[in-house]
Amino acid sequence: MLNMKSLLSLVVAASFLTVLPAHSTEIIKLATTTSTENSGLLKELLPKFESESGYKVQVIATGTGKALKLGEQGDVDLVMTHAPSAEAKFVADGFGVEPRGIMENDFVVLGPKNDPAKIRDSKTAEEAFGKIAKSGVHFISRGDNSGTHIKELEVWKAASVTPDFKGYTSVGQGMGKTLLMANEMQGYTLSDRGTFVAYKTKLDLGVDFDGGKTLANPYQVILINSAKYPDLNHKGAKAFSDWLISKEGQSMINNFKVEGEQLFKATYSE
């Protein structure tokens, strides 16, 4: 039986809970690409959003394919990825809603600074990839169904090259580890520019080819369909998506720099 002191404590505790915001300790589960994590962008953005909203964002950083799969399974509240064709299917299949383009950077072909495959004078990414395949120099592929890996396979296909040539190595790793392996083997690889800039001081690799529409790298944030998974934190996911396209969120994306270099360009427009 409760004594008066215990009863008073319970009343005080209950009254305290009633004045807290309804979402004060709610978790938002975000599946996103390793590039947003490795580049340091999320470490810049999330504390500001969390302090203003009261939500806590739990980040699952993986390849785009795995991130979208987590969304399909209802294991996360929203996704932030960079593979337009896969994202379009994700929405068309009814798993995602309200896709919003929030930012972009680009892909770059990294390689030894002496450029043994002579790709720097290439006019297209396809030409550069073709030269690498013929050169016999190592090419290190993420091989993880990420947005970067999907883009790489698209370029090989456009170049009419089957990526099974001598020197081609698929490692099944995230961008950071792939960069370190390419550096160790002094081979070529495809990277998003953001992760490369973040890792640049650890690498003896340079940008041997960049530019052109082929290597554009747009990012979208997509909510999970509440009709399929009504028990997810849809309110929190929407709050984060809205913040990313807000003036404050877009400004922070534009202003995020590593080693004085802007890594992402905010792209949302009404």
Side-chain angles (χ1 to χ4, degrees):
M1 186 172 180
L2 291 173
N3 59 33
M4 186 59 69
K5 184 176 180 181
S6 297
L7 183 60
L8 182 60
S9 296
L10 285 173
V11 171
V12 170
S15 64
F16 175 72
L17 288 173
T18 60
V19 299
L20 288 174
H23 59 259
S24 61
T25 57
E26 282 188 19
I27 301 294
I28 301 169
K29 293 182 179 179
L30 168 68
T32 186
T33 69
T34 57
S35 58
T36 59
E37 179 84 350
N38 290 341
S39 65
L41 178 66
L42 290 179
K43 290 179 183 177
E44 181 80 4
L45 299 181
L46 294 185
K48 186 70 172 174
F49 168 74
E50 291 173 343
S51 67
E52 292 179 358
S53 68
Y55 288 107
K56 179 72 176 177
V57 181
Q58 182 183 92
V59 177
I60 303 168
T62 185
T64 285
K66 291 181 181 178
L68 293 176
K69 190 66 176 177
L70 289 170
E72 290 179 6
Q73 295 169 171
D75 292 328
V76 294
D77 303 308
L78 75 168
V79 299
M80 185 194 303
T81 51
H82 63 142
S85 58
E87 291 156 5
K89 186 177 187 303
F90 180 72
V91 173
D93 289 346
F95 295 107
V97 296
E98 292 191 47
R100 290 163 159 175
I102 55 170
M103 62 187 183
E104 67 180 15
N105 63 6
D106 63 343
F107 292 105
V108 291
V109 184
L110 304 177
K113 293 180 178 177
N114 65 344
D115 187 24
K118 308 301 180 189
I119 70 171
R120 286 180 192 152
D121 61 352
S122 301
K123 294 190 170 45
T124 65
E126 293 84 352
E127 181 183 347
F129 271 43
K131 289 179 178 178
I132 293 169
K134 292 176 182 177
S135 70
V137 181
H138 288 294
F139 184 97
I140 313 303
S141 168
R142 282 183 60 165
D144 62 349
N145 198 32
S146 62
T148 305
H149 183 219
I150 291 169
K151 172 60 71 174
E152 177 212 318
L153 294 179
E154 289 174 353
V155 179
W156 288 125
K157 184 176 180 180
S160 299
V161 174
T162 301
D164 58 0
F165 52 87
K166 182 180 179 181
Y168 185 86
T169 304
S170 180
V171 296
Q173 297 289 337
M175 196 70 256
K177 289 183 179 179
T178 301
L179 288 177
L180 295 175
M181 293 180 73
N183 186 65
E184 183 178 343
M185 298 176 74
Q186 279 297 287
Y188 292 92
T189 193
L190 184 70
S191 172
D192 67 283
R193 189 181 294 271
T195 306
F196 166 61
V197 171
Y199 274 71
K200 190 187 293 188
T201 58
K202 304 176 184 178
L203 304 174
D204 187 28
L205 298 173
V207 176
D208 285 339
F209 184 84
D210 64 355
K213 286 184 67 176
T214 300
L215 297 185
N217 186 24
Y219 288 75
Q220 288 194 100
V221 61
I222 308 173
L223 306 180
I224 306 305
N225 191 346
S226 61
K228 283 189 177 290
Y229 297 105
D231 295 330
L232 295 179
N233 187 0
H234 298 290
K235 184 177 179 182
K238 181 69 160 56
F240 186 46
S241 177
D242 287 347
W243 185 84
L244 286 170
I245 66 167
S246 70
K247 184 176 180 180
E248 180 180 37
Q250 292 282 281
S251 177
M252 288 188 70
I253 290 170
N254 268 336
N255 292 330
F256 175 64
K257 296 180 180 180
V258 174
E259 302 290 329
E261 186 171 339
Q262 180 179 348
L263 266 59
F264 300 91
K265 177 184 176 183
T267 59
Y268 181 77
S269 60
E270 296 286 354

